[in-house]
Amino acid sequence: MREIAYREALREAIYEEMEQDENVFVIGEEVGRYGGAYAVTRGLIKEFGARRLVDAPISEASTVGLGIGAAITGLRPIVELMYVDFVPLAMDQIATQMPKLRYMTGGQLKIPMVLRTQGGTGRSAGAQHSQSLEAYCVHTPGLRVVMPATPADAKGLLKSAIRSDDPVVFIEHKALYARKGAVPEETCTIPLGKARISRSGSDVTIVTYSRMVLIAEEAAGALEAEGISAEVIDLRTLSPMDMDAVSASVGKTKRAIVVTEAHKTAGMSAEIAARITESNWTDLTAPVVRIAAKDVPVPATHLEKLSIPSVDEIVDAAKTLCGE
Amino acid sequence: MREIAYREALREAIYEEMEQDENVFVIGEEVGRYGGAYAVTRGLIKEFGARRLVDAPISEASTVGLGIGAAITGLRPIVELMYVDFVPLAMDQIATQMPKLRYMTGGQLKIPMVLRTQGGTGRSAGAQHSQSLEAYCVHTPGLRVVMPATPADAKGLLKSAIRSDDPVVFIEHKALYARKGAVPEETCTIPLGKARISRSGSDVTIVTYSRMVLIAEEAAGALEAEGISAEVIDLRTLSPMDMDAVSASVGKTKRAIVVTEAHKTAGMSAEIAARITESNWTDLTAPVVRIAAKDVPVPATHLEKLSIPSVDEIVDAAKTLCGE
Amino acid sequence: MTQKDATQSAGLSEPERVELLRTMIRIREFEDMVGESYLRGHTAGSMLHLSVGEEAVAAGIVKAMAPEDVFTTHHRGHGVFLARGADPMRMFAEVFGKSVGYCKGKGGSMHIADIQLGHMGANAIVGANIPISLGGGFSLKYRDVPGVSVAFFGDGAINQGVLYESMNMAALWKLPVVFAVVNNQYGMGTRVDQASASLAFAERAETFGVKGAEVDGMDVEAVYGAADALLRYSREGNGPSLLVANAYRFYGHGRKDPSPYRTKEEEAKWKARDPIALFRDRLVTEGVITAERSERIGAEAVTEMEEAAAVAVTQADPAPEELYTDVFAEEL
Amino acid sequence: MTQKDATQSAGLSEPERVELLRTMIRIREFEDMVGESYLRGHTAGSMLHLSVGEEAVAAGIVKAMAPEDVFTTHHRGHGVFLARGADPMRMFAEVFGKSVGYCKGKGGSMHIADIQLGHMGANAIVGANIPISLGGGFSLKYRDVPGVSVAFFGDGAINQGVLYESMNMAALWKLPVVFAVVNNQYGMGTRVDQASASLAFAERAETFGVKGAEVDGMDVEAVYGAADALLRYSREGNGPSLLVANAYRFYGHGRKDPSPYRTKEEEAKWKARDPIALFRDRLVTEGVITAERSERIGAEAVTEMEEAAAVAVTQADPAPEELYTDVFAEEL
Ligand SMILES: Cc1ncc(C[n+]2csc(CCOP(=O)(O)OP(=O)(O)O)c2C)c(N)n1
Ligand SMILES: Cc1ncc(C[n+]2csc(CCOP(=O)(O)OP(=O)(O)O)c2C)c(N)n1
Ligand SMILES: [Mg+2]
Ligand SMILES: [Mg+2]
């Protein structure tokens, strides 16, 4: 199969969906002429014009609000926030409007809208451009939250997100845009809400998502060399979470490690660990191990790398778990 | 000891701290002339004048930002957001500025500031005025998060929060303002970061905070009648969390229930459950039970009550836990 | 058309003028009735913001709207919605938290909506409806529908930054968005000049590229005239506009608020310009209606609202399962 | 004082004018040097926003500031900070992520601060520094300190709602806040008129009760004169002011951005008005300095920056334990 980069996979998804549905449009800072800060929408303005690739002023709150109003009235907006770090600027619209309007109006208002953004570390850009804020969204009922790790998932999940009649927060990873991977030529969607077994194994389950899938894979490789067989589960969708897949895996391995690039306290690692504990209590030989970013603002400089999970941490944890 | 209401206890704390430190001031919507939407600051403007009880326009983001700038330059602001539901409007200042400026500047900027607000259900005011958003703050490194349940704690913790050199998010509960409780006459602070054993027991530990302490107490009372002795731990401070107290209790009871008025997924109940599981793995006879608000926007009407934890749910869970 | 029908004010025919009066009276009666129900404990929620005193703003602006137009309101939006044609029974039912309410009782007074009537929702977050209405305008233009999108909000929302972001975007793309400022002089206990350093809101709009106008919000025909001009302007592709309508809320912020922050003199001054009395007197003076007919309209409205409330109050509460529905359009 | 010293322009003495030139040249050389270091991979972070072309704005406004004044900047704030008296070595060190940097390397280029110099922080969130500077102004007035609080931000931040919220609050309480708009014509790839429907920013400020002015940001003395007038106004208790300084960024948005979104002609037009060349030529023409002296200033600046960068690059990285420090002032 052909290999394309994550950003190209995303671009294809947007292109295909825009082509087949006139109501799909993109709005965000620098998405048009500039082609996106991370070049995801590059060239699309030539195909679809400024009517459908709308360069927004630096007004995040109102841009998201615009998307909501457009969605209510029949369009299918893809709103881009350049960094997930800007989610807080639009947080009222994202947390108090987008996910609640349908419920508050007794199901009258439909919000078929995708909020595309990107997060994570990797550019040593400091605490205001390196965050992983998925938990804010997952904790907010009414939102779907998707975080793809591979180009194929990026494309297939984004297409599903655009077709969804519900608001989807779609969080890409800045360090993945250039990564290549096999992506089928033909149009294909990947359903929201389904995890992917990224690597099969029998001794320990590593549950993770987004870029940490790569770190987990690397750790699994290292563990294999030491005779430990790790299964890596890429959640892909965080809300809803595919606990069937996770549970089945832990039922088999009896040991679980959760890895997130987000801060540890009150973040995704807590939820995943709590659910595994609930679902696999009798299977577990030890408490689920949480490996997450340190609970400090993300530092610039080389400290950045020390703040997030490392391959070694995962390997050590797996060895300890399996060593008992 | 005299009994005063939660709102009066809060007012006393503000009064005393303003009296002893000229740099303490209050800013927020309706805090001055009106005396606060929930009457916490009533009358204070007469004592301290409009210079120190500042009625803000409806501009939440900039009001919090104002507090930050004032704190950096030597004042000790108490910023009031009328509802915790308005935290998202100021989320950039609350999550991306207030807790990070100190770290990003290598310790140069000190932010001795309290963000007072109130949350929770109880008025059937719908999804935009009934939330419990503490997890957004607890997940953000650099913030202290306090949620008092009793008048005495309200006063003592607010005094400590005002004296703290770090940013504290202080979340009151709308349904507690009128509740009375014993509060010492003499000035006394209660340290941040320390839980309180609200009721001693030996069979099961119920970990909770804010208004859910009352529900937990009620459940504990009902359980006692059935011969089950429940210990109720009121965390009081959520960030940092007093895991020593929780752990010691679970070490004794071997069973734990976590109760939160906040939504379940990726919220405080997950973090508390995950920590207990980590700290008391060998003690636990069953997985920690999480009882939290349903993962739906908070409905208006009588459905509101169905969306949050009930005494019965806690009683049932405790009976099941202890029945094995 | 008779000679008399052709007599017009602000371009309105006599029947239209009478209907405008009826609309205002119906709003007044609804609000009074729902306020009483609130005091009697019939409402589910604890918050109720009445628009009594602001009827001319609601009736006048909505009169200038076309069926394809869309709108949002703030938390004080009953009047606008009634003017737009809401069924009072379903409104009462919503406020009472009943399953036949506009939102199945899940929203309550502050979240009423009816997408059929173009109502994209009342909103309880001050200012939050503004960018949503911006999106409505974007969508109308995108889909080439000749409608306008109206955002109703109060003088308090003037200080929310999203207003300026939205004005700029609407102007940048020449969107058919009308910003309707219901300036009732107070945001809770704060007088408009205690919250806003400058009251030059219409001029301010112009510096964003938004056509601005200000109008006496107690004069329904003046409001209609100003709104009609602005809506036409925006509908015809000239870009957004902003209308400041100066009115007064006769009740407190919430139904029970005794408004200690304002003087009795101020209240009396504004109440002397009660928009309903003003307009009724004008119509009577001009011979458009008789005093008797106006009283009949009043009596009819009272009956209508009493009956609607009586029906609503007996309706069923939403079933417990309703807690879980309407979160998502699709289950995964 | 000699006759010559008394010759003044915008109220500045000859030595002051020469110093102003030196400040601008030092900024230019710092920026060029840090840009080169970036290309060589010496910087820790991946983002570097240079203020080359905007030196007159930084130097002119900061010249009007007093020691007790406080300020914040946006992400393109090196120039302002240097003009305020920053140590270039510690600035380089910060950008290189070294422990002797202003923020121990934890902040990087976008978060530089020095509270000793009244620098409350560069900020990487467009517009977010504005309310923080509002708070600085509130605090000065509260503490009765005769200073002003200056918020530097770009034309892009004009569309963030917090600007309007903050202008209103500053006006409402007559706070000594100066809003300094460094209009370099672009926010990333978006030309100012592609983002803002109206460019009447100074007039707009007036409708918020904020004194507004606009100035040629390539003429350092014009900037100084305008800033001096506004800072005085705000310092003297008259309330906030806003200055729009029109300049141009000679590099791209980031150091590596080739700026395909703007024409070579446009760039050439602005570069022909290089603020340093303009001012140097004026001083030479007026006989304030010789061409040789100006070149010597340039050479000194080059040496200073090369040395500072060379020292900074050899400094130690922060120790791993630094990851955990500075989160809180107090441990609990
Ligand atoms: C963002 C936000 N801040 C504060 C409130 C609390 N609040 C509700 S209504 C109100 C006053 C609003 O005044 P205005 O916009 O003039 O509308 P009015 O009530 O006068 O109709 C306030 C402060 C809120 N609901 N939302
Ligand atoms: C809230 C926010 N939105 C978007 C960005 C991304 N961004 C960084 S700089 C910039 C352009 C800012 O333009 P301007 O304010 O004119 O400053 P300049 O870069 O021209 O100095 C953008 C969009 C950001 N950092 N913060
Ligand atoms: Mg008002
Ligand atoms: Mg710019």
Side-chain angles (χ1 to χ4, degrees), chain D residues 137-160:
Chain D
F138 179 92
S139 174
L140 289 166
K141 178 161 181 175
Y142 187 99
R143 293 180 291 119
D144 213 8
V145 174
V148 299
S149 177
V150 186
F152 290 89
F153 54 90
D155 47 288
I158 284 277
N159 298 312
Q160 287 288 30

Side-chain angles (χ1 to χ4, degrees), chain C residues 91-124:
Chain C
M91 285 187 66
F92 280 115
E94 186 56 39
V95 179
F96 297 169
K98 304 297 186 178
S99 65
V100 299
Y102 269 103
C103 307
K104 303 183 187 168
K106 292 177 178 180
S109 162
M110 294 197 293
H111 301 294
I112 266 179
D114 182 6
I115 195 67
Q116 304 303 329
L117 290 175
H119 192 350
M120 298 164 66
N123 210 299

Side-chain angles (χ1 to χ4, degrees), chain A residues 91 95 135-136 139-140, chain B residues 87-88 91 131 133-140:
Chain A
M91 194 71 177
Y136 290 171
H139 186 48
T140 307
Chain B
V87 157
M91 194 71 178
Q131 296 176 87
L133 300 180
E134 57 270 22
Y136 290 171
C137 299
V138 176
H139 186 48
T140 307

Side-chain angles (χ1 to χ4, degrees), chain B residues 22 51 73 97 103 144 166, chain D residues 123 139 142 165 323 329-330:
Chain B
E22 169 75 15
R51 170 171 170 265
T73 51
Q97 310 299 334
Y103 191 83
R144 306 294 192 196
D166 289 306
Chain D
N123 210 300
S139 174
Y142 187 99
E165 299 180 358
L323 180 58
E330 309 162 330

Side-chain angles (χ1 to χ4, degrees), chain A residues 151-309:
Chain A
D153 284 350
K155 180 170 179 186
L157 290 166
L158 183 53
K159 287 174 70 79
S160 294
I162 297 169
R163 293 183 193 182
S164 168
D165 277 344
D166 290 307
V168 179
V169 178
F170 192 94
I171 310 177
E172 302 155 15
H173 196 296
K174 57 173 71 61
L176 293 179
Y177 283 123
R179 281 193 74 90
K180 293 199 169 191
V183 177
E185 207 91 44
E186 62 283 10
T187 289
C188 65
T189 61
I190 292 174
L192 304 183
K194 295 281 169 234
R196 178 178 68 93
I197 296 180
S198 163
R199 179 193 191 100
S200 294
S202 51
D203 297 330
V204 56
T205 300
I206 307 175
V207 184
T208 189
Y209 53 89
S210 190
R211 184 173 57 133
M212 285 296 123
V213 171
L214 305 185
I215 305 290
E217 284 283 354
E218 215 179 310
L223 286 165
E224 190 172 323
E226 308 209 30
I228 294 175
S229 161
E231 179 145 305
V232 177
I233 298 198
D234 174 2
L235 284 176
R236 305 200 288 197
T237 299
L238 300 191
S239 192
M241 232 183 282
D242 186 355
M243 277 310 295
D244 289 349
V246 174
S247 244
S249 175
V250 179
K252 179 175 69 177
T253 63
K254 320 288 186 206
R255 298 172 188 91
I257 298 173
V258 179
V259 183
T260 73
E261 194 169 333
H263 296 308
K264 184 170 188 174
T265 296
M268 284 311 299
S269 71
E271 180 62 30
I272 302 168
R275 291 216 194 170
I276 294 174
T277 309
E278 288 160 358
S279 63
N280 293 78
W281 176 252
T282 53
D283 296 318
L284 289 171
T285 61
V288 178
V289 175
R290 292 193 282 161
I291 302 179
K294 307 296 176 281
D295 283 331
V296 303
V298 182
T301 193
H302 75 111
L303 295 175
E304 181 187 74
K305 228 176 294 163
L306 302 181
S307 77
I308 62 158

